[in-house]
Amino acid sequence: MGKIIALANQKGGVGKTTTTINLAASLATLEKTVLVVDADPQANASSGLGVNLQEVDCSLYECLIDHADVRDAIYTTDIDGLDIIPSHIDLVGAEIEMLNMENRERMISKILEPLRSEYDYILIDCSPSLGLITVNSLTAADSVIIPVQCEYFALEGISKLLNTIKIIKQKLNPKLEIEGFLLTMYDSRLRLANQIFDEVKRHFQELVFKTVIQRNVKLSESPSHGLPVILYDADSTGSKNHLALAKEIINKNNK
């Protein structure tokens, strides 16, 4: 049975999508079968994995609102074993359209459940909000990775997210666990980055991944080429960091 992991943080610009794309590509490189679910209307994970959004006929939106067959929404990528369910800008309106639907918090869960047996890992890239689609993603997930950028205000808003996770655990998804806090955009030369690193470690202890994602030019450039960094520059720091993260997750889950 595959494991569903949501990547969430309602603060924008913390590296959620970058982590989703590159963790997925690294897991696939390590011969795991991976499905990325792009649950962000900005659809950056979709374009970052080379999906031409103009050519997408069926996306997560159609699965949620028109009850389209999820298999029609699965697209392959340039990496063997890595597939994606793309997003669409229409997803912005989906939250309003879903309001009157029955079991509205469990719709993504219903879509993904039949796919569990087909993938080792299903990664959901959440939007930077705590709206209904993110609640859906967390209800569908077994665990959540929380990217935290090593910058000022990094810990702002985390308590809000942890509170949301607690509510979802109580009311919708008792099995939801925190997979780990992931420090992103780390620059060891900056005193502030090291202070934040220490603070997150002190707060969350063994819940913090050993792997840290460092600031890296190649990592920033690769999405504009529609490629994960492992295909753009396999020797870059960004590529090595994400490969280390993938290994850490595989070891932690023993699969």
Side-chain angles (χ1 to χ4, degrees), residues 180-225:
F181 290 85
L182 176 68
L183 289 152
T184 62
M185 305 178 198
Y186 177 71
D187 185 339
S188 57
R189 295 165 306 180
L190 300 177
R191 204 169 83 218
L192 178 66
N194 290 304
Q195 282 172 346
I196 286 161
F197 180 87
D198 294 340
E199 202 174 331
V200 173
K201 274 285 210 202
R202 197 177 67 245
H203 259 298
F204 302 112
Q205 293 157 359
E206 73 284 353
L207 281 176
V208 183
F209 284 111
K210 289 185 180 70
T211 307
V212 172
I213 308 298
Q214 290 161 278
R215 269 200 186 281
N216 179 242
V217 175
K218 299 290 184 192
L219 194 56
S220 311
E221 287 174 359
S222 60
S224 63
H225 297 269

Side-chain angles (χ1 to χ4, degrees), residues 41-106:
Q42 294 173 67
N44 291 340
S46 306
S47 54
L49 282 171
V51 175
N52 182 342
L53 297 170
Q54 260 61 57
E55 289 173 9
V56 169
D57 301 321
C58 188
S59 67
L60 182 62
Y61 174 82
E62 281 75 21
C63 295
L64 287 170
I65 304 303
D66 305 332
H67 308 294
D69 183 343
V70 67
R71 281 181 176 75
D72 293 338
I74 296 174
Y75 291 74
T76 55
T77 69
D78 290 340
I79 292 184
D80 276 351
L82 174 54
D83 295 340
I84 180 164
I85 295 176
S87 179
H88 194 281
I89 189 66
D90 288 351
L91 208 55
V92 170
E95 303 212 340
I96 295 160
E97 294 177 69
M98 286 160 68
L99 281 176
N100 298 321
M101 292 185 178
E102 211 178 321
N103 270 341
R104 62 186 181 201
E105 295 92 354
R106 299 185 193 275

